[in-house]
């Protein structure tokens, strides 16, 4: 504390998701004094609610799973995906630094990753695309290692847990899906449930962290181990500029505002603007948006940066990473949101609009699904679809928040989350779908599904489609007839996994002004930085991969570490 009551550090990081914590850990590793100011009462940001996948071409763990990759292939793929919005400078920086970032965090910190040889790029047949190997997920983490920090880590979305337990999105999820079909999977699931019972008895919650919660927990542990000063419930109000350079921010804690000086600079990592209603209304091409991102992500970083002359890149064709979500009634009267990642790909599940017609390959990525839904509902008063299935499929795989057998389905029907009908006509009436059209759609789908074919939309036609299918269903793991009553439907609308529009930056993660020159002392990472994906969604972890990479780049640049 200075004589004037000012807190002074070398680096102030505003926000505590993967981008912010990566920057903080890196800067602190290189000897800088770092403060992380998190607006929410818990750390972890959107990362803690995410799947925890990190997309890094040519990462050093690829050798362990027999994957051969090249920077040229990755660059071709991103050029194909981004098209006219391809940013060669920043993409080049990402591809060069990404593997080194992974090496640094796995060597120097508590961060550990599990690579996947089978989790495909979302368009694996495009130039440079891969059927697997570029995505890694955070290794499961024992939350007890965080000590008292565990209570300060943002919990996962309740809708993405089972009985409060996080389920890993790789092989672990596959075991849960096969628990009634395989003795090995049943024993695996029983062990995890037994561990959950012990955790609940001893700790009142699950302490086994997976997915994004594991990544956030590992980064938080790494920051604490290095001595990063971690402030929660600390809201940054404005940036402090001295002699043309950003040298801190005014931060409010316990209803008292204080000036936090940052000798080297400030990193904005506030999570983008998923809950900034005004900016969202201006940039999103639809109304009625529902975001599962933390409610504290209200665009603070973008507003503070704009006030000191920063440029917001709003030119991307998609302003956010889209995902279909359903509204889940909770027992306390509130409503949760369930992001639909997996269920759409299952055999015996189709998506229809209110008019009763299919409009998309349901097994394609969530981003592509929403883009197709938007086109299909053009001119309609509401952009919505229904995932439709039969009793066999809903008991085998679940549907949205409704879990598969042996967990009960009745409560979800009674709450109104799942619509049920003894016939397709009855289901259509209850869901508000055109009944005659739905019957015709299902009949046409069934005719081809019996042979494992989908001539209209090609469901099951790519490695990514098949990743979430059912390997026991032949010849196409994503197709089965919808024939066994009763029939079920869940309504989905548009949500996001993070915003794409954001602060214009250079290859060092420095924020640019309207003239395209860096604002001294100001950096951005995570969803505050304009996405390098050009409005596309190329693969699993294309948000967290660049977030950690540019956080690492920013931390090194702030420390004066020369690029190699």
């Amino acid at each position: 504390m200075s004589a004037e009551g000012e807190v002074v550090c070398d680096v102030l990081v505003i926000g505590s998701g993967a981008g912010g914590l990566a920057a903080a850990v890196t800067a602190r590793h290189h000897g800088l004094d770092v403060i992380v100011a998190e607006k929410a009462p818990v750390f972890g940001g959107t990362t803690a609610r995410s799947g925890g996948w990190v997309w890094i071409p040519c990462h050093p763990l690829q050798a362990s799973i027999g994957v051969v990759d090249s920077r040229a292939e990755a660059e071709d793929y991103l050029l194909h995906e981004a098209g006219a919005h391809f940013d060669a400078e920043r993409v080049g920086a990402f591809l060069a630094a990404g593997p080194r970032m992974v090496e640094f965090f796995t060597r120097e910190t508590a961060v550990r990753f599990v690579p996947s040889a089978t989790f495909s790029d979302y368009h694996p047949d495009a130039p440079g695309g891969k059927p697997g190997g570029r995505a890694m997920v955070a290794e499961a983490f024992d939350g007890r290692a965080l000590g008292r920090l565990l209570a300060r880590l943002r919990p996962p979305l309740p809708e993405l847990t089972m009985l409060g337990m996080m389920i890993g999105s790789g092989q672990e999820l596959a075991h849960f899906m096969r628990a009634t079909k395989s003795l090995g999977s049943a024993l695996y699931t029983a062990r995890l449930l037994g561990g959950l019972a012990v955790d609940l008895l001893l700790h009142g919650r699950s302490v086994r962290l997976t997915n994004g919660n594991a990544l956030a927990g590992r980064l938080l542990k790494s920051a604490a181990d290095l001595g990063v000063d971690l402030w929660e419930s600390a809201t940054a109000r404005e940036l402090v500029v001295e002699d043309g350079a950003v040298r801190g921010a005014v931060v409010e804690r316990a209803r008292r505002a204080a000036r936090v000086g940052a000798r080297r600079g400030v990193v904005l990592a506030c999570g983008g603007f998923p809950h900034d209603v005004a900016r969202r209304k201006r940039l999103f091409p639809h109304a009625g948006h529902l975001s599962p991102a933390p409610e504290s992500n209200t665009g603070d970083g973008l507003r503070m940066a704009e006030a000191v002359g920063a440029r917001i890149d709003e030119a991307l064709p998609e302003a956010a990473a889209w995902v279909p979500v359903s509204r889940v009634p909770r027992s306390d009267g509130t409503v949760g949101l369930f992001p639909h990642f997996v269920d759409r790909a299952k055999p015996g599940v189709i998506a229809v609009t209110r008019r009763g017609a299919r409009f998309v390959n349901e097994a394609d990525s969530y981003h592509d699904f929403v883009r197709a839904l938007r086109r299909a509902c053009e001119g309609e008063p509401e952009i919505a679809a229904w995932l439709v299935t039969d009793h066999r499929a809903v008991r085998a795989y679940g549907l949205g928040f409704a879990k598969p057998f042996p967990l009960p389905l009745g409560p979800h029907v009674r709450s109104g989350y799942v619509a049920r009908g003894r016939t397709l006509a009855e289901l259509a009436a209850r869901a508000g779908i055109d009944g005659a059209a739905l019957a015709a759609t299902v009949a046409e789908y069934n005719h081809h599904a019996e042979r494992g074919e989908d001539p209209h939309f090609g469901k099951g036609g790519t490695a990514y489609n098949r990743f979430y299918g059912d390997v026991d269903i032949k010849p196409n793991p994503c197709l089965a007839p919808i024939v066994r009553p009763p029939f079920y439907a869940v309504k989905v609308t548009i949500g996001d996994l993070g915003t794409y529009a954001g602060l214009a930056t250079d290859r060092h993660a420095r924020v640019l002004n309207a003239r395209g020159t860096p604002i001294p002392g100001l950096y951005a990472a995570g969803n505050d930085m304009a996405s390098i994906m050009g409005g596309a969604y190329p693969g699993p972890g294309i948000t967290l991969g660049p977030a950690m990479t540019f956080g690492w780049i920013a931390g090194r640049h702030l420390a004066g570490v020369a690029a190699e």
Side-chain angles (χ1 to χ4, degrees):
M1 192 81 69
S2 74
E4 296 79 23
E6 175 189 1
V7 178
V8 178
C9 60
D10 292 319
V11 177
L12 172 63
V13 178
I14 303 175
S16 66
L21 288 177
V25 168
T26 305
R28 181 67 189 129
H29 172 82
H30 288 289
L32 302 185
D33 293 326
V34 182
I35 294 174
V36 172
E38 167 57 53
K39 177 182 180 181
V42 285
F43 298 106
T46 308
T47 301
R49 290 185 171 182
S50 73
W53 288 90
V54 178
W55 191 83
I56 302 289
C58 306
H59 66 73
L61 302 181
Q62 285 183 332
S64 68
I65 54 174
V67 170
V68 178
D69 198 2
S70 74
R71 177 170 169 175
E73 288 178 298
E75 191 167 310
D76 285 346
Y77 184 53
L78 291 179
L79 177 60
H80 172 271
E81 294 291 289
H85 296 276
F86 181 76
D87 185 335
E89 178 184 322
R90 291 195 303 148
V91 167
F94 166 67
L95 294 177
R100 296 173 58 215
M101 176 275 293
V102 174
E103 182 182 13
F104 166 79
F105 277 98
T106 55
R107 184 185 69 242
E108 301 291 345
T109 77
V111 175
R112 298 291 181 272
F113 294 112
V114 178
S116 172
T118 56
F119 201 177
S120 169
D121 289 346
Y122 288 169
H123 307 122
D125 300 326
K130 289 283 184 183
R134 288 171 172 164
M136 303 168 289
V137 70
E139 187 178 281
F141 184 54
D142 187 342
R144 290 173 296 185
L146 286 168
R148 293 182 179 179
L149 270 178
L150 179 60
R152 298 160 67 189
L153 174 67
R154 181 181 296 281
L157 276 176
E159 286 69 33
L160 293 180
T161 68
M162 189 174 76
L163 305 175
M165 179 174 66
M166 292 164 263
I167 301 173
S169 54
Q171 287 301 312
E172 196 168 298
L173 177 61
H175 278 301
F176 271 85
M177 286 293 185
R178 292 178 54 79
T180 60
K181 301 178 182 180
S182 160
L183 178 60
S185 291
L187 292 173
Y188 182 93
T189 302
R191 283 196 298 271
L192 288 185
L193 291 174
L196 172 64
V198 173
D199 287 350
L200 293 175
L201 181 64
L202 297 180
H203 306 287
R205 58 158 290 171
S206 173
V207 298
R208 182 176 180 273
L209 312 184
T210 66
N211 304 334
N213 221 240
L215 180 58
R218 288 181 174 278
L219 284 166
L220 191 61
K221 166 71 170 167
S222 303
D225 286 348
L226 285 169
V228 171
D229 202 353
L230 299 166
W231 296 0
E232 70 268 46
S233 301
T235 303
R237 296 298 184 188
E238 61 180 307
L239 297 173
V240 173
V241 178
E242 295 176 350
D243 301 322
V246 172
R247 288 291 176 257
V250 176
V251 178
E252 184 178 308
R253 301 176 74 194
R255 299 184 180 181
R256 297 183 63 182
R259 186 182 188 277
V260 179
R263 289 179 285 259
R264 299 292 183 91
V266 174
V267 181
L268 296 174
C270 306
F273 62 95
H275 292 286
D276 180 345
V277 177
R279 195 181 299 271
R280 201 171 68 187
K281 184 176 181 180
R282 183 161 56 81
L283 294 181
F284 288 7
H286 57 270
H289 188 82
L290 300 171
S291 179
E295 294 74 12
S296 54
N297 293 8
T298 54
D300 298 354
L302 276 61
R303 283 195 299 274
M304 288 188 291
E306 278 185 303
V308 298
R311 180 171 69 86
I312 307 296
D313 184 354
E314 300 179 350
L316 298 177
E318 302 292 344
W322 311 122
V323 65
V325 297
S326 54
R327 295 168 60 90
V328 181
R330 293 173 174 167
S331 58
D332 63 0
T334 62
V335 175
L337 297 177
F338 183 91
H340 290 258
F341 300 124
V342 178
D343 53 357
R344 297 173 290 105
K346 297 303 182 187
V349 177
I350 61 171
V352 300
T353 64
R354 189 179 298 279
R355 295 190 295 273
R358 289 178 73 202
F359 58 93
V360 71
N361 175 342
E362 294 87 355
D364 278 351
S365 79
Y366 29 89
H367 189 71
D368 291 347
F369 180 97
V370 169
R371 293 177 69 190
L373 174 61
R374 220 168 48 203
R375 292 191 296 269
C377 293
E378 190 172 356
E380 296 286 325
E382 180 185 32
I383 300 176
W386 284 258
L387 301 180
V388 175
T389 192
D390 66 2
H391 192 70
R392 179 206 67 83
V394 82
R395 292 286 68 198
Y397 315 117
L399 190 66
F401 184 58
K403 303 298 188 289
F405 178 83
L407 294 180
L409 184 59
H412 301 296
V413 175
R414 290 190 292 273
S415 74
Y417 176 69
V418 176
R420 179 168 64 189
R422 291 166 295 179
T423 65
L424 286 171
E426 184 176 272
L427 176 68
R430 289 181 174 172
I433 303 170
D434 184 309
L438 177 63
T441 294
V442 171
E444 172 72 7
Y445 165 82
N446 286 346
H447 174 71
H448 298 290
E450 289 173 352
R451 299 191 295 272
E453 300 171 355
D454 183 17
H456 299 297
F457 296 100
K459 186 177 182 184
T462 71
Y464 172 67
N465 285 183
R466 295 186 291 273
F467 180 79
Y468 281 132
D470 182 345
V471 295
D472 294 329
I473 299 296
K474 309 294 184 182
N476 187 329
C478 299
L479 291 176
I482 300 171
V483 293
R484 183 181 170 190
F487 302 96
Y488 302 86
V490 167
K491 182 179 180 180
V492 299
T493 53
I494 302 180
D496 71 84
L497 296 175
T499 48
Y500 277 170
L503 295 168
T505 58
D506 68 5
R507 63 191 179 94
H508 300 298
R510 295 179 295 185
V511 175
L512 305 178
N513 61 23
R515 299 184 303 278
T517 57
I519 297 174
L522 188 60
Y523 298 74
N527 290 338
D528 276 359
M529 170 190 282
S531 171
I532 66 168
M533 298 299 163
Y537 208 117
I542 57 86
T543 299
L544 291 178
M548 288 193 67
T549 300
F550 281 101
W552 180 78
I553 288 171
R556 285 169 57 88
H557 198 267
L558 281 157
V561 179
E564 298 173 4

